[in-house]
Amino acid sequence: MLWAFFISFLCILKTSSSSVDINGENRTIIKPLNSNVTVTSGQKAILTCTFDRINHDLVLLSSHQLIWIRQNHATYDADLILAHNQDSLISDDRLTIQRTDIDYSLIINNVNIDDEGIYVCEVNTQPPQKTSIHLYVQGKIILCMV
């Protein structure tokens, strides 16, 4: 089933709309809200990519396909696709995906140190565009009363 998804996704990438402006130049249509996000272990991390709405032709449409990727995931020693549009592709109840007309977010509840790393948001423009967000996780602060 997962292979069928990848084949479908590659077909979608091949037929997707272009991110080239009227002058024939590539234009960035996706960027991170924050390129670095730091949270304390046990809290919620919100990783958000925003879409350019300046040029109406480049507004991200619902027909565009989006994915969240975890780069160099240690368990698999490779990149791991976490989500496609609003569907999680891994079985982790801590993950929530939200998509609006202006942004695309990956929410990780109860973050732990293993979640630290680089997350990539990718849109299937031609050529595909992606942006990275580095998640930093700090240990819990324990207060001792004397």
Side-chain angles (χ1 to χ4, degrees):
M1 179 167 152
L2 195 54
W3 285 109
F5 162 76
F6 288 122
I7 291 169
S8 297
F9 187 73
L10 290 174
C11 290
I12 291 167
L13 283 176
K14 185 89 172 145
T15 61
S16 65
S17 52
S18 176
S19 61
V20 177
D21 67 15
I22 47 180
N23 296 325
E25 296 178 19
N26 283 340
R27 178 171 175 152
T28 301
I29 65 168
I30 191 166
K31 62 184 178 183
L33 182 61
N34 295 301
S35 57
N36 295 303
V37 174
T38 303
V39 296
T40 301
S41 182
Q43 293 184 337
K44 179 191 309 186
I46 302 174
L47 311 177
T48 301
C49 297
T50 60
F51 312 127
D52 182 9
R53 296 184 65 93
I54 295 170
N55 183 332
H56 183 69
D57 294 336
L58 297 179
V59 172
L60 199 69
L61 304 173
S62 60
S63 62
H64 282 88
Q65 303 298 306
L66 296 160
I67 59 173
W68 275 106
I69 301 167
R70 168 86 188 267
Q71 282 192 333
N72 302 318
H73 189 269
T75 305
Y76 301 101
D77 195 32
D79 292 352
L80 176 64
I81 298 177
L82 302 173
H84 170 250
N85 289 335
Q86 291 182 286
D87 299 319
S88 179
L89 299 179
I90 63 170
S91 58
D92 188 338
D93 294 338
R94 300 174 312 128
L95 299 182
T96 305
I97 295 88
Q98 294 180 346
R99 179 179 178 176
T100 69
D101 289 339
I102 58 171
D103 60 28
Y104 185 48
S105 297
L106 173 67
I107 301 162
I108 308 171
N109 291 299
N110 195 23
V111 172
N112 62 58
I113 194 69
D114 293 334
D115 295 319
E116 188 169 87
I118 298 172
Y119 292 79
V120 176
C121 177
E122 184 173 318
V123 61
N124 70 322
T125 54
Q126 203 50 263
Q129 289 196 25
K130 57 178 98 174
T131 190
S132 302
I133 300 174
H134 196 136
L135 174 63
Y136 296 95
V137 179
Q138 300 173 336
K140 284 187 179 180
I141 299 172
I142 301 172
L143 298 175
C144 297
M145 298 194 64
V146 180

